[in-house]
């Protein structure tokens, strides 16, 4: 069970964008330089966050990415599921309905209790990630972080 | 983020073993036939449950697998982590320490808040799975299930 490596990238890039002055954007190249990441692949991943509604992309010579909503309304779950999708890691292939022990379709009208418990765990994971917004992340950073981030981002091309 | 397909197999096989009469064992071949699964691969996976202490294996002509502990002491977490390991799906490669935005090692003495929140979510998932034992699963099955399971298992080779 593994999340893509780019999950870390996107969580950090979104946190960085949340620290920029309102109205400021950052390009994929700037963010790539800021974290020393492969720019083309990062750009693709940032587009996934645009599609999911967490980021907005503007075009043109000064175009780039910015948060599409207030930082308090973008949760870690939004970002993680934009990268990896919302599917549960547990796949139930209904093996209870096959082989010598096969239950009949009538006996399987209810979800298998094991699939149900695995889904409960996935929901607990989702709830935990949904409980933290980018604003919460920013609040946990040192007070000097946003100014420092803006300064160093301004220097990146 | 995906758990191995065999996660479903092992959850069901452990549930089946929990329904056998005390002292009774079932072979990998019997369990494979019961759920129509590839026997050799299933046997390998059952051994992972033996190594983790959830199952015990006995050898000899009437040998096979049985629970190593009471069903109330084997949780879904034991089984899932025996199959997939206990690592968090989120990998933090400390990108905060690289690129133009790199923080100094002194600034990174504390765990990154993003890694911390991802770890919290994994813990929520683990807690949810640890809260359900095989005894809880059995209690959610129809009252006729154990007798049926024993009968059909006895017919499998």
């Amino acid at each position: 069970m593994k999340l893509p490596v780019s999950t870390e990238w996107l969580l950090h890039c979104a946190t960085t964008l949340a620290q920029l002055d309102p109205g400021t954007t950052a390009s994929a190249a700037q963010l790539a330089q800021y974290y020393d990441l492969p720019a083309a692949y990062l750009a693709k991943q940032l587009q996934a966050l645009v599609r999911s509604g967490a980021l907005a992309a503007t075009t043109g010579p000064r175009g780039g990415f910015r948060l599409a909503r207030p930082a308090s309304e973008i949760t870690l779950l939004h970002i993680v599921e934009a990268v990896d999708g919302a599917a549960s890691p547990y796949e139930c292939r209904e093996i209870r309905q096959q082989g010598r022990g096969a239950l009949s379709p009538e006996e399987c009208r209810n979800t298998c209790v094991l699939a149900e418990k695995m889904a409960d765990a996935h929901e607990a994971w989702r709830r935990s990630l949904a409980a933290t917004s980018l604003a919460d992340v920013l609040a946990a950073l040192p007070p000097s972080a946003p100014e420092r981030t803006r300064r160093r981002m301004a220097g990146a091309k």
Side-chain angles (χ1 to χ4, degrees), chain A residues 59-136:
Chain A
T59 49
R62 312 189 64 182
F65 298 92
R66 59 175 174 76
L67 300 193
R69 288 175 282 163
S72 59
E73 291 174 19
I74 301 173
T75 69
L76 301 192
L77 184 66
H78 290 133
I79 297 165
V80 171
E81 292 197 338
V83 180
D84 193 52
S88 164
Y90 179 71
E91 196 184 349
C92 170
R93 298 190 176 186
E94 290 282 333
I95 66 165
R96 64 177 175 164
Q97 296 196 49
Q98 67 190 36
R100 171 181 282 271
L103 297 170
S104 68
E106 296 73 50
E107 290 170 298
C108 295
R109 275 200 213 103
N110 293 330
T111 306
C112 168
V113 56
L114 292 165
E116 209 175 83
K117 296 296 182 185
M118 294 303 292
D120 288 350
H122 186 56
E123 270 314 303
W125 183 81
R126 298 185 76 243
R127 267 197 308 277
S128 177
L129 292 180
T132 300
S133 71
L134 290 179
D136 298 326

